[in-house]
């Protein structure tokens, strides 16, 4: 089949995939509401960034005065390449209609279609805000042709990173298929790497302010001058224009040559991935059968809810992808990194103890409680027919979450004694953490049944059901706010003892009543929802 025909079919496949993504987004009320909230949140930040871009365009006189221009031209293609690999692993390693497509068109057309659809999705998400910033910068610069030149020069770069990133992602998926152990290890490494990156990012701002010139000198050393000269071509026709160098022409020609080469390699890798099956070393597929009984350790074996909790924990360990939604807590505690680093030695212990209580409370509800109906979807026909009542099933979920959260809420405050926390304060914080873990577990059951999610999402080749983003945000807001208020009241009573003012004691009592009432009411609501659930509601 000719290349032109494959391109024609690929563009049609890309258009269909993109339109299907748009329909899934706008025809789902929950996703549409989440999209509106994201637009409102990030749109407000964009409004504050537009004047900054305009002022930067007004003040810049040469390319060299643009902050970190040379390092950014090197980081940009590397970042786009890594993004393409990640999106291949997460989403476009295959199509939902793969069997139909592969029996209709050439694999090269499918590759073109999937890559085109993903590029269109990325442009829809990031192109609009970046385009607005570019227009504001060009207006300040007095160069109305700048958006056009940027678009023309970015097309080859984006196409190169898309096809080579797709090829690289397919290679990684083939390795994961051959070596599933490597995939499991890399999942854990990837989670810890992302957590570390987010935490480290909290120190970048102060570091740039204090050591800005040193960091700029280091980054200038890794900049590649041919890439810098190529990106500088976007300023042709403005007073920032540079002389066209042979390096810039070489990069442009290199991109033109490497795009079809990358497309060919991606097609070969896709054919190997889509048309071959995994064969065991003995030549036949072997099925691993467990010969050991499902033994439940104490204290989980004492009650039926405990045995259910142990089953959930074992299933979670076997499929760690179920806990992907827990990473959201990093975006909440990440900003506290600078506070911890800059706090005095006397306050560091108490801050660590309070953070431990907050983490324990978060995990006590978020681990297994934010989507009970969606998590149980594969077993719901069986669960609804068993004599076990929903109250026992929900308590099993609470016990499983508490088994994760309580050790964190107790061990970190007690461990903060090594950082200077008074032993009595550490014990009080650990005791308060036990109560907060219980209230968070109760609250998660109710809010988790408000918007159950049944659809599985694919992440690094693993299909799993994750809670609704709105549920996660609501849970984070309520639990974080309640935990902070409780910790402040605890610290105040520790500092003043029984001599606290009556108003503080009354406020503490009201806080306890509201916390207990909301948590128990939420739990009762979740129990009623579970009892009234029918298969037709899926």
């Amino acid at each position: 089949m000719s290349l032109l025909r494959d391109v024609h079919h690929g563009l049609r496949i890309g258009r269909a995939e993109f339109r299907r993504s748009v329909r899934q987004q706008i025809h789902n009320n929950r996703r549409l509401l989440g999209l509106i909230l994201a637009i409102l949140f990030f749109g407000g930040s964009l409004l504050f960034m537009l004047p900054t871009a305009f002022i930067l365009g007004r003040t810049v006189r040469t390319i060299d005065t643009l902050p970190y221009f040379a390092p950014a031209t090197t980081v940009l293609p590397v970042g786009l390449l890594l993004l393409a690999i990640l999106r291949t692993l997460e989403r476009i390693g295959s199509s939902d209609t793969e069997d139909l497509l592969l029996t209709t068109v050439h694999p090269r057309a499918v590759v073109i279609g999937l890559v085109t659809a993903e590029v269109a999705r990325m442009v829809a998400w990031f192109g609009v805000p970046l385009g607005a910033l570019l227009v504001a910068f060009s207006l300040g610069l007095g160069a109305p042709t700048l958006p056009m030149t940027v678009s023309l020069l970015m097309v080859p770069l984006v196409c190169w990173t898309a096809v080579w990133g797709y090829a690289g992602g397919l290679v990684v998926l083939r390795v994961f298929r051959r070596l599933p152990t490597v995939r499991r290890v890399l999942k854990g490494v990837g989670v810890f790497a992302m957590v570390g990156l987010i935490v480290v990012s909290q120190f970048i701002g102060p570091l740039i302010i204090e050591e800005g010139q040193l960091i700029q000198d280091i980054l200038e050393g890794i900049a590649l001058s041919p890439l810098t000269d190529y990106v500088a071509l976007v300023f042709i026709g403005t007073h920032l224009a540079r002389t066209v160098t042979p390096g810039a022409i070489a990069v442009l020609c290199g991109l033109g040559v490497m795009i079809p080469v990358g497309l060919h390699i991606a097609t070969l890798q896709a054919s190997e991935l889509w048309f071959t099956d995994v064969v065991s070393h003995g030549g036949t597929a072997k099925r691993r059968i467990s010969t050991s009984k499902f033994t439940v350790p104490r204290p989980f074996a004492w009650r039926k809810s405990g045995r259910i909790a142990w089953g959930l924990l074992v299933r979670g360990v076997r499929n760690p992808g179920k806990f992907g939604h827990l990473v959201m807590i990093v975006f909440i505690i990440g900003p506290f990194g600078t506070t911890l680093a800059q706090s005095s030695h006397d306050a560091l212990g108490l801050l660590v103890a309070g953070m431990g209580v907050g983490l324990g409370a978060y995990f006590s509800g978020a681990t297994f409680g934010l989507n009970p109906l969606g998590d149980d979807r594969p077993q719901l026909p069986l669960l609804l027919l068993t004599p076990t009542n929903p109250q026992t099933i929900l308590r099993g979920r609470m016990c499983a979450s508490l088994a994760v959260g309580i050790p964190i809420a107790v061990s970190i405050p007690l461990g903060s004694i090594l950082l200077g926390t008074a032993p009595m304060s550490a014990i009080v914080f650990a005791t308060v953490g036990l109560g907060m873990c219980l209230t968070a577990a109760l609250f998660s059951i109710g809010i988790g049944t408000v918007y159950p999610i049944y659809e599985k999402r694919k992440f690094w080749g693993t299909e799993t059901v994750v809670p609704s983003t709105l549920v996660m945000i609501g849970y984070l807001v309520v639990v974080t706010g309640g935990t902070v208020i409780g910790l402040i009241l605890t610290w105040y009573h520790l500092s003043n003892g029984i001599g606290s003012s009556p108003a503080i004691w009354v406020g503490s009592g009201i806080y306890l009543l509201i916390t207990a009432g909301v948590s128990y009411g939420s739990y009762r609501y979740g129990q009623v929802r579970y009892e009234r659930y029918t298969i037709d509601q899926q």
Side-chain angles (χ1 to χ4, degrees):
M1 189 174 291
S2 66
L3 176 61
L4 291 178
R5 181 170 296 182
D6 288 343
V7 172
H8 174 70
H9 291 317
L11 293 178
R12 296 184 63 184
I13 293 172
R15 183 181 61 181
E17 290 284 336
F18 178 73
R19 294 178 63 182
R20 185 164 64 90
S21 301
V22 173
R23 286 197 299 268
Q24 289 177 349
Q25 191 72 33
I26 64 177
H27 290 171
N28 188 310
N29 293 333
R30 296 170 184 166
R31 293 184 179 181
L32 186 59
L33 181 59
L35 177 62
I36 294 174
L37 292 177
I39 292 175
L40 292 176
F41 178 78
F42 293 105
S45 302
L46 181 63
L47 292 179
F48 288 100
M49 296 172 65
L50 289 176
T52 304
F54 179 80
I55 294 173
L56 179 62
R58 294 278 293 182
T59 57
V60 69
R61 293 295 177 262
T62 62
I63 293 180
D64 296 331
T65 59
L66 286 174
Y68 302 102
F69 176 76
T73 57
T74 303
V75 174
L76 176 63
V78 176
L80 291 176
L81 184 65
L82 294 177
L83 177 63
I85 294 175
L86 179 62
R87 295 298 294 174
T88 302
L89 298 175
E90 182 181 358
R91 184 185 182 108
I92 60 173
S94 61
S95 173
D96 295 337
T97 57
E98 179 179 312
D99 296 337
L100 176 62
L101 290 175
L102 294 179
T103 56
T104 307
V105 295
H106 193 274
R108 182 168 55 192
V110 180
V111 170
I112 295 174
L114 294 178
V115 172
T116 302
E118 187 59 28
V119 170
R121 281 188 286 263
M122 292 295 101
V123 170
W125 276 106
F126 302 107
V128 175
L130 292 178
L133 292 174
L134 179 61
V135 170
F137 177 79
S138 62
L139 291 176
L141 189 64
T145 60
L146 183 61
M148 182 181 64
T149 55
V150 170
S151 302
L152 292 177
L153 288 172
M154 283 297 295
V155 167
L157 186 61
V158 170
C159 292
W160 176 81
T161 55
V163 295
W164 280 95
Y166 191 68
L170 293 178
V171 170
V172 175
L173 287 176
R174 291 184 62 192
V175 173
F176 286 171
R177 174 183 286 184
R178 295 283 183 179
L179 303 171
T181 305
V182 175
R183 179 178 64 182
R184 289 192 291 268
V185 172
L186 288 181
K187 284 181 181 179
V189 173
V191 171
F192 284 109
M194 184 171 63
V195 171
L197 181 62
I198 295 174
V199 173
V200 170
S201 66
Q202 307 306 314
F203 301 91
I204 292 180
L207 188 61
I208 290 178
I209 296 175
E210 296 175 1
E211 305 290 343
Q213 187 59 43
L214 178 61
I215 294 176
Q216 186 170 0
D217 294 339
I218 295 175
L219 293 177
E220 291 287 348
I222 66 173
L224 299 177
S225 56
L227 281 175
T228 304
D229 295 337
Y230 173 75
V231 177
L233 294 177
V234 301
F235 295 107
I236 291 179
T238 69
H239 65 272
L240 302 180
R242 283 181 175 178
T243 304
V244 179
T245 63
I249 301 300
V251 170
L252 181 59
C253 296
L255 292 176
V257 172
M258 296 299 290
I259 290 174
V261 175
L263 178 61
H264 178 69
I265 295 176
T267 303
L268 293 178
Q269 296 298 325
S271 300
E272 290 291 332
L273 180 67
W274 295 337
F275 290 104
T276 57
D277 296 324
V278 178
V279 180
S280 62
H281 295 291
T284 57
K286 296 181 179 180
R287 183 180 180 182
R288 185 173 61 181
I289 300 176
S290 175
T291 58
S292 62
K293 295 182 180 180
F294 183 77
T295 57
V296 182
R298 296 179 181 180
F300 294 98
W302 294 344
R303 301 292 297 271
K304 181 180 288 187
S305 57
R307 294 192 290 272
I308 293 174
W310 180 252
L312 291 172
L313 291 171
V314 171
R315 192 171 66 182
V317 171
R318 292 174 178 175
N319 184 18
K322 295 174 63 66
F323 303 131
H325 63 282
L326 298 178
V327 181
M328 183 178 287
I329 188 61
V330 178
F331 297 95
I332 304 299
I333 67 173
F336 290 98
T338 305
T339 304
L340 288 176
Q342 296 178 350
S343 61
S344 63
H345 181 72
D346 297 334
L348 182 60
L350 287 176
L351 286 174
V352 171
M355 184 174 292
V357 173
L359 284 175
Y362 169 77
F363 286 113
S364 295
T367 308
F368 293 102
L370 291 182
N371 193 26
L373 293 173
D375 287 341
D376 288 336
R377 181 179 180 273
Q379 298 86 25
L380 274 178
L382 175 63
L383 292 176
L384 295 176
L385 296 175
T386 58
T388 303
N389 55 40
Q391 184 178 6
T392 303
I393 297 174
L394 293 178
R395 285 179 179 176
R397 287 196 163 272
M398 289 175 51
C399 290
S401 295
L402 289 172
V404 178
I406 286 179
I408 298 175
V410 173
S411 61
I412 294 181
L414 295 180
S416 66
I417 296 176
L418 301 176
L419 299 176
T421 305
M424 181 57 67
S425 299
I427 294 174
V428 171
F429 268 80
T431 304
V432 171
L434 291 175
M436 290 186 175
C437 288
L438 179 59
T439 55
L442 290 169
F443 177 71
S444 66
I445 295 298
I447 195 173
T449 54
V450 174
Y451 291 110
I453 299 296
Y454 307 107
E455 300 84 5
K456 290 185 177 181
R457 300 179 186 179
K458 198 169 185 180
F459 182 75
W460 279 32
T462 301
E463 289 187 348
T464 183
V465 179
V466 297
S468 169
T469 304
L470 295 177
V471 170
M472 286 289 299
I473 294 175
Y475 174 80
L476 275 172
V477 170
V478 174
V479 172
T480 303
T483 302
V484 170
I485 295 174
L487 291 176
I488 292 175
L489 291 175
T490 302
W491 170 80
Y492 185 84
H493 287 299
L494 282 174
S495 302
N496 297 274
I498 60 175
S500 302
S501 63
I504 296 297
W505 285 107
V506 172
S508 300
I510 295 175
Y511 164 78
L512 292 176
L513 289 176
I514 293 176
T515 301
V518 171
S519 299
Y520 182 73
S522 177
Y523 169 73
R524 290 291 300 170
Y525 170 79
Q527 183 179 344
V528 172
R529 282 292 304 269
Y530 208 103
E531 290 174 349
R532 296 180 179 178
Y533 184 83
T534 61
I535 298 295
D536 296 334
Q537 292 178 334
Q538 294 189 36

